Amino acid sequence: MRPKVDKDLLPMKAHYFFFNAGTAPVVPFMPTLAKQLGYSNVVVGTMYAILPVIGMLAKPLCGFIADRYQRHRSLFIAAEILTAVAFFAIMFTPAIPQQLPSVTFHCHAGGANFHFCTEDQCTLNEIERDYQDKALACKLNCPAQAFMWDIICKDWNTTGLCPPPNDNADIDISATFTNLLVERNETSNEGCVFFSVPHIHAEVNGHNATMYCPSDKPYFSSICSMDCNDTYLDSKIADSPVISTTAAMGLYQFWWFFGMLIISWIGMAAVVSIGDAICFGILGERAHLYGKQRLYGSVGWGIFSILAGVLVDKMSNGVEKDYTIVFWMTAVLIGLDVVASMKLKHTQTHLSPNILKDVGQMFLSIRCLIFFIWCIFIGLGTALIWNFLFVHLETLGGCDATYMKTLQGFVMSIQCFCGELPFFFFSGWILKKIGHVNAMSMVLFGFGVRFILYSMLQDPWYVLPIELLNGVTFGLFYATMASYASIVAPPGTETTMQGLVGAIFEGVGVSVGSLIAGYLFDSIGGGHTFEIFGVAAFVAFIVHVCVQMYLQRHHSSSDTENGTVKYLAPTDAMHMLNDQEFLT
């Protein structure tokens, strides 16, 4: 017997697949791209605190417009196009100009060299590996003092340089530097790289010279800017201070990058909230089948996240990653999503005469308030995973970063295929068996376990089995959140309600979580940050269980007549959940 296929749901399945496949190559890598551009953890955390606020405003607004004017599909498709265009534009983010690296030039006792020091052991290892037998033709611009010009004029065997224009005139040195030497200080964890000038022959201010500095004269030393026409070496030696929030605000490159992220977040916010409302509208009385539609999004995300990670690693040269391919993947896949969305058949049968009043009544229900607070707490934990898990893995990975994007791709694939997918598939059965309230408690407990395990990581590859918990912390959470919001929404406000719940989750929870996580990462490091969030999740779990037990006992004792629990909805138009739901 051939299985029956609901053709009305096929475009919805295709949307979830293509949209999640299209955002998978870019969304997880944006925080690490921001770090690669030089922005501090605080800047990244601040950006990802603002972005959910933008989403918080966009979701209910787009939902209200869609419900009010009955333009669900048109607004939905426009938001998809906006998302693709904004992400693609990030590829054209202007590079931040880098100053020439600074080195210390020494000339004394018949020898001349330049050197620089760093505590970055990865940089020391890479330069020692790549430049051990390599000669560098470099140009140095060095400020000079009067005694230095005295040495140049008397001992460097050159003509045409003296007398100098003034005693503090700069000197330009062009020379070939060889004989790499790396010295490490085990006590301070600092190391220095030295390149010397063979036979101390060089060109100084356009004139041939022998850089001989007698030992009986003052030490010739100057901080010089250096240009070896070697982009890779320059990037390793260059003064690359982490860009602070204040400094970022003055860079137009930052505003382009952040502006495109804001536009993409607005698009995604509208797509997610309107898309879920359309899905529940098509399902009608079969709302328990939502997870079996949404799981196709996990399949798309899982496949293309690992593909994107592998391609970024393969197409990158050196330590810095080339993300060009992921932006093209996003443009093509979301383009296919637009085509699939045009096939959607959705008409809203209910129209609320006063959407804002009906939705506002939700805040008069104690159970809805607890649900909203739960969404905020889940948002706090989700922010840490979304925005800083990969940063933590790259820190643990140390110098060997060649495999990192592949590992991150595997992380996302396991999250999707082994975590989200089975929980989305069985979410209807799970919610029917244990109820929404117990599912909420289960999600909080899952976050606690997941964060504590992250805090114990030493080898980044051991993160893979931990990602199985993503089925609880995202798969079960998202199905619970979307289903609960759909059930309690008054007729005609479904899209607005989905937007409101998503706004509370991201606009409040994820926003605040990003800000807190950014400061904690900078202050105490990744391991301790995950530990603090883990303890907080366990505390929230205990509090949630106690509050629900109190409410269950309260309703059982005061609101029960003839064995039936009464539930007073905020508005007569609200859908009623069954009695057992509130007892479980």
Side-chain angles (χ1 to χ4, degrees):
M1 183 176 178
R2 295 179 61 184
K4 185 178 180 180
V5 177
D6 190 335
K7 295 182 179 180
D8 289 340
L9 288 172
L10 288 179
M12 201 72 239
K13 292 179 171 69
H15 155 67
Y16 281 126
F17 178 86
F18 284 120
F19 187 75
N20 283 274
T23 53
V26 287
V27 172
F29 296 133
M30 289 301 98
T32 53
L33 174 58
K35 291 283 292 179
Q36 181 172 297
L37 292 173
Y39 302 114
S40 68
N41 283 325
V42 175
V43 173
V44 175
T46 302
M47 283 194 296
Y48 278 87
I50 295 173
L51 288 172
V53 174
I54 302 297
M56 177 182 68
L57 299 174
K59 282 186 174 182
L61 178 60
C62 293
F64 173 78
I65 293 173
D67 282 334
R68 179 66 180 83
Y69 297 101
Q70 299 292 289
R71 293 289 184 267
H72 295 81
R73 195 178 72 163
S74 300
L75 192 58
F76 181 60
I77 293 174
E80 290 173 339
I81 295 172
L82 183 67
T83 302
V85 171
F87 273 131
F88 192 72
I90 292 177
M91 183 171 63
F92 303 101
T93 301
I96 300 174
Q98 298 290 331
Q99 295 181 343
L100 289 174
S102 295
V103 297
T104 302
F105 176 74
H106 283 165
C107 179
H108 189 66
N113 65 63
F114 76 78
H115 79 271
F116 73 95
C117 300
T118 179
E119 293 183 356
D120 188 344
Q121 297 300 313
C122 296
T123 294
L124 293 174
N125 293 341
E126 289 162 10
I127 291 179
E128 188 173 28
R129 178 193 65 206
D130 297 335
Y131 292 89
Q132 185 66 54
D133 301 314
K134 188 174 182 179
L136 293 173
C138 302
K139 296 179 181 179
L140 279 64
N141 177 263
C142 311
Q145 302 178 36
F147 80 90
M148 297 180 184
W149 276 106
D150 181 67
I151 295 174
I152 292 171
C153 294
K154 293 181 178 179
D155 300 295
W156 281 24
N157 190 27
T158 184
T159 58
L161 287 177
C162 301
N166 57 73
D167 289 341
N168 295 316
D170 289 355
I171 56 174
D172 294 317
I173 301 172
S174 297
T176 300
F177 295 85
T178 59
N179 303 327
L180 168 69
L181 175 64
V182 177
E183 294 183 355
R184 288 179 169 84
N185 187 330
E186 299 298 335
T187 58
S188 66
N189 200 36
E190 184 180 65
C192 296
V193 178
F194 293 84
F195 287 92
S196 62
V197 183
H199 311 300
I200 59 177
H201 294 303
E203 187 178 281
V204 180
N205 288 11
H207 299 271
N208 292 328
T210 301
M211 295 186 295
Y212 176 73
C213 302
S215 57
D216 59 344
K217 290 192 175 182
Y219 203 84
F220 192 115
S221 179
S222 180
I223 305 297
C224 311
S225 63
M226 182 193 74
D227 183 7
C228 296
N229 197 28
D230 187 322
T231 304
Y232 176 73
L233 182 65
D234 288 348
S235 69
K236 304 310 297 181
I237 302 178
D239 297 324
S240 300
V242 175
I243 300 172
S244 65
T245 306
T246 304
M249 295 283 285
L251 296 173
Y252 76 91
Q253 295 93 339
F254 166 78
W255 287 111
W256 175 272
F257 177 72
F258 189 34
M260 292 303 105
L261 279 180
I262 288 174
I263 295 173
S264 66
W265 242 251
I266 292 173
M268 287 193 297
V271 170
V272 171
S273 59
I274 298 175
D276 284 344
I278 291 176
C279 183
F280 279 108
I282 296 174
L283 288 172
E285 299 299 324
R286 302 170 296 166
H288 61 282
L289 297 178
Y290 167 77
K292 293 186 178 180
Q293 318 310 313
R294 182 58 179 79
L295 66 83
Y296 286 91
S298 297
V299 173
W301 184 282
I303 292 173
F304 285 92
S305 59
I306 188 170
L307 180 61
V310 171
L311 289 175
V312 168
D313 277 341
K314 293 294 184 183
M315 296 184 177
S316 300
N317 295 318
V319 176
E320 289 197 350
K321 300 299 182 180
D322 183 354
Y323 291 97
T324 302
I325 185 63
V326 302
F327 297 112
W328 282 103
M329 292 172 67
T330 293
V332 172
L333 289 165
I334 296 185
L336 295 173
D337 181 30
V338 170
V339 174
S341 298
M342 290 179 177
K343 305 294 184 181
L344 284 171
K345 297 179 181 179
H346 170 68
T347 54
Q348 186 164 335
T349 56
H350 298 285
L351 177 62
S352 171
N354 195 330
I355 296 174
L356 295 180
K357 180 181 178 181
D358 287 345
V359 173
Q361 292 292 316
M362 308 300 298
F363 292 92
L364 300 179
S365 165
I366 184 64
R367 293 193 182 277
C368 285
L369 283 176
I370 293 173
F371 170 59
F372 293 150
I373 295 172
W374 173 77
C375 290
I376 292 173
F377 271 92
I378 300 304
L380 293 173
T382 302
L384 183 59
I385 296 172
W386 281 0
N387 302 328
F388 291 98
L389 174 59
F390 284 1
V391 175
H392 184 51
L393 294 180
E394 292 187 356
T395 302
L396 293 175
C399 300
D400 187 9
T402 56
Y403 63 84
M404 186 53 64
K405 297 306 167 188
T406 301
L407 170 60
Q408 291 170 354
F410 277 118
V411 165
M412 290 185 286
S413 290
I414 292 176
Q415 287 176 352
C416 295
F417 290 118
C418 303
E420 293 174 22
L421 196 150
F423 271 87
F424 273 131
F425 186 83
F426 291 108
S427 60
W429 179 83
I430 294 173
L431 292 174
K432 187 176 180 180
K433 287 293 183 182
I434 69 174
H436 289 73
V437 170
N438 284 339
M440 294 177 194
S441 299
M442 186 176 175
V443 171
L444 288 169
F445 185 81
F447 267 108
V449 174
R450 190 173 181 181
F451 287 149
I452 294 299
L453 291 175
Y454 283 151
S455 71
M456 299 167 62
L457 278 178
Q458 298 295 325
D459 186 331
W461 284 97
Y462 288 153
V463 75
L464 296 179
I466 301 176
E467 297 317 293
L468 294 173
L469 288 169
N470 196 58
V472 176
T473 59
F474 186 79
L476 182 59
F477 149 70
Y478 198 91
T480 302
M481 180 183 72
S483 174
Y484 198 98
S486 178
I487 291 171
V488 301
T493 69
E494 290 84 0
T495 308
T496 305
M497 188 62 185
Q498 291 292 342
L500 175 64
V501 172
I504 292 172
F505 164 62
E506 287 197 53
V508 181
V510 175
S511 175
V512 175
S514 299
L515 198 60
I516 294 173
Y519 278 100
L520 287 177
F521 253 73
D522 258 5
S523 303
I524 60 177
H528 291 302
T529 300
F530 279 110
E531 185 178 8
I532 290 172
F533 271 68
V535 172
F538 281 127
V539 172
F541 161 73
I542 294 171
V543 171
H544 186 264
V545 170
C546 292
V547 169
Q548 293 295 348
M549 289 177 64
Y550 169 79
L551 289 176
Q552 176 181 328
R553 184 176 303 171
H554 173 74
H555 279 276
S556 297
S557 60
S558 63
D559 296 335
T560 302
E561 293 181 3
N562 300 323
T564 303
V565 178
K566 286 185 175 180
Y567 172 59
L568 301 179
T571 172
D572 293 338
M574 179 182 291
H575 296 302
M576 301 295 289
L577 293 172
N578 61 54
D579 299 338
Q580 183 63 28
E581 170 62 35
F582 289 114
L583 291 174
T584 54

